[in-house]
Amino acid sequence: MINFKTVFAMALLSGSTVVNADEILVDTTDLHASISAKLAEGLTQMQQDLNDDLNAILIAHEDEQLKTEAVSAQLAE
């Protein structure tokens, strides 16, 4: 059974949480700017890594084609 003290305590706690929730203002502008900057930096690094990897693959592929053409030319002679 709920007595008067319990009801009073619940009302007091409910009121204090509402006041605290209203008093807390979270400014997310700096957080948003920080996340955006890190995301941009990560995307730039990812693009650079992708370019480096693709260039390495293309160079390896061209070297393989040149070797294949050289072997074919030797066999043709």
Side-chain angles (χ1 to χ4, degrees), residues 3-24:
N3 60 17
F4 180 71
K5 289 180 184 178
T6 305
V7 173
F8 179 72
M10 288 175 33
L12 183 63
L13 289 174
S14 297
S16 65
T17 56
V18 170
V19 171
N20 286 338
D22 291 340
E23 289 177 359
I24 297 174

Side-chain angles (χ1 to χ4, degrees), residues 3-7 9 16 21 29 32 34 37-38 40-42 47 49 53 55-59 66-68 70:
N3 60 17
F4 180 71
K5 289 180 184 178
T6 305
V7 173
S16 65
T29 306
H32 184 268
S34 174
K38 287 181 181 180
E41 181 180 329
Q47 182 67 42
D49 292 345
D53 290 346
N55 286 337
I57 290 170
L58 288 174
I59 289 171
L66 290 175
K67 287 179 185 176
T68 303

Side-chain angles (χ1 to χ4, degrees), residues 1 10-11 21-27 30 32 51 53-57 60 62 65 67-68 72-76:
M1 185 153 166
M10 288 175 33
D22 291 340
E23 289 177 359
I24 297 174
L25 296 175
V26 179
D27 184 18
D30 292 338
H32 184 268
N51 286 340
D53 290 346
L54 287 175
N55 286 337
I57 290 170
E62 288 175 1
Q65 278 186 329
K67 287 179 185 176
T68 303
S72 296
Q74 287 177 351
L75 291 176

